[in-house]
Amino acid sequence: MRFVVQRHRARRLHYDLRLEMGGVLVSWAVPKGPTLDPGARLLAVHVADHGLAELELEGVVGSGDKIVWDRGTWTPAKTDDPPRAVTEGELHFDLDGEKLAGRFVLIRRDPKNWLLVHKNDEHAVRGWDPEAFPRSVLSGRTNEEVAAGIAGA
Ligand code: MN
């Protein structure tokens, strides 16, 4: 199944992590952005499911802009029923993207707020900062270039 992470400059910068599940993209907004750092425990706000068009969507949206910051495939772990794992509030999964890789866990803390962590596996990198890799994997553009109307490569 496919996943996408968009870097979205809205009222506040955040990254939207979206996992393809049952014909939609189940989504979390991660203010600090996903990381390979196994020491990070990141807030991930569960938001509404989005349509599959988001897999390739970048551009100016409303008063903000978004880029396809990473994409690839994901595989559920420890479950053969990912929607149920989401309902139960704990989803383990592996990402195989261009930036992100390895085992992640999303754990629900309350109905809206989840924690996103990267396990300390062979893909873990201490101190890894998503903001150090600001370009779209789709077009090579930054958010600033998208906002300025610069065409993709
Ligand atoms: Mn967003």
Side-chain angles (χ1 to χ4, degrees), residues 102-113:
R103 176 67 51 89
F104 290 80
V105 188
L106 277 163
I107 304 156
R108 188 170 59 213
R109 287 306 187 210
D110 64 50
K112 198 91 185 136
N113 298 307

Side-chain angles (χ1 to χ4, degrees), residues 6 8-10 14-16 18 29 47 50 66:
Q6 291 157 311
H8 185 189
R9 295 195 304 172
H14 60 276
Y15 290 65
D16 291 297
R18 308 189 193 278
V47 296
H50 279 58
K66 57 171 72 172

Side-chain angles (χ1 to χ4, degrees), residues 11-22:
R11 269 183 305 175
R12 287 188 179 173
L13 172 66
H14 60 276
Y15 290 65
D16 291 297
L17 167 63
R18 308 189 193 278
L19 304 176
E20 183 180 14
M21 220 182 286

Side-chain angles (χ1 to χ4, degrees), residues 109-122:
R109 287 306 187 210
D110 64 50
K112 198 91 185 136
N113 298 307
W114 297 51
L115 280 179
L116 175 66
V117 301
H118 191 289
K119 301 296 275 189
N120 193 14
D121 61 15
E122 70 272 25

Side-chain angles (χ1 to χ4, degrees), residues 7-82:
R7 185 176 186 274
H8 185 189
R9 295 195 304 172
R11 269 183 305 175
R12 287 188 179 173
L13 172 66
H14 60 276
Y15 290 65
D16 291 297
L17 167 63
R18 308 189 193 278
L19 304 176
E20 183 180 14
M21 220 182 286
V24 297
L25 298 173
V26 179
S27 300
W28 289 263
V30 184
K32 290 188 173 175
T35 179
L36 302 177
D37 187 341
R41 298 167 67 80
L42 301 171
L43 170 66
V45 180
H46 196 194
V47 296
D49 296 347
H50 279 58
L52 298 178
E54 293 286 334
L55 288 166
E56 299 186 347
L57 191 71
E58 55 184 34
V60 174
V61 284
S63 59
D65 48 70
K66 57 171 72 172
I67 60 167
V68 174
W69 181 81
D70 197 18
R71 65 174 182 169
T73 57
W74 75 282
T75 310
K78 299 188 175 186
T79 180
D80 52 17
D81 188 348

